[in-house]
Amino acid sequence: MPEPEYFTLKQAMNYTGVKSYDSLREMINTGLPVVMYGKTKKISKTAIDKFMKDHEVITTSQENI
C-alpha cells in the first residue's frame, strides 16, 4: 500500500525520523509548510522531501554535524 500524500503530524514525525513535536515544530518554524483546515493539520510528503533537500548540508568533517 503506498504512503499517503498528506501526513498527520505524528506520521510526519515518523517519516522524517524526528522524535519530538518540538523538533517538528522547529522544522515548521523554519519553513516546512502545514495545511490547516478547521482543527486539522496535515503536512505534504512532497513538501517534507523538498524541505529536507533544501536544508541538506554537505560537510567534510564531523565538526559541522
Side-chain angles (χ1 to χ4, degrees), residues 8-20:
T8 63
L9 297 183
K10 185 165 182 99
Q11 289 171 322
M13 287 173 53
N14 288 333
Y15 183 72
T16 59
V18 300
K19 303 292 184 201
S20 72

Side-chain angles (χ1 to χ4, degrees), residues 19-63:
K19 303 292 184 201
S20 72
Y21 283 106
D22 288 338
S23 296
L24 183 63
R25 190 175 305 112
E26 181 63 28
M27 292 171 71
I28 292 167
N29 289 339
T30 307
L32 178 62
V34 176
V35 176
M36 296 173 34
Y37 55 96
K39 294 183 179 182
T40 302
K41 295 178 183 177
K42 299 279 187 169
I43 300 177
S44 163
K45 178 184 180 297
T46 303
I48 292 172
D49 292 339
K50 181 179 182 327
F51 177 86
M52 297 294 271
K53 183 67 177 167
D54 290 349
H55 290 83
E56 186 174 58
V57 176
I58 299 171
T59 75
T60 56
S61 73
Q62 293 293 329
E63 218 171 280

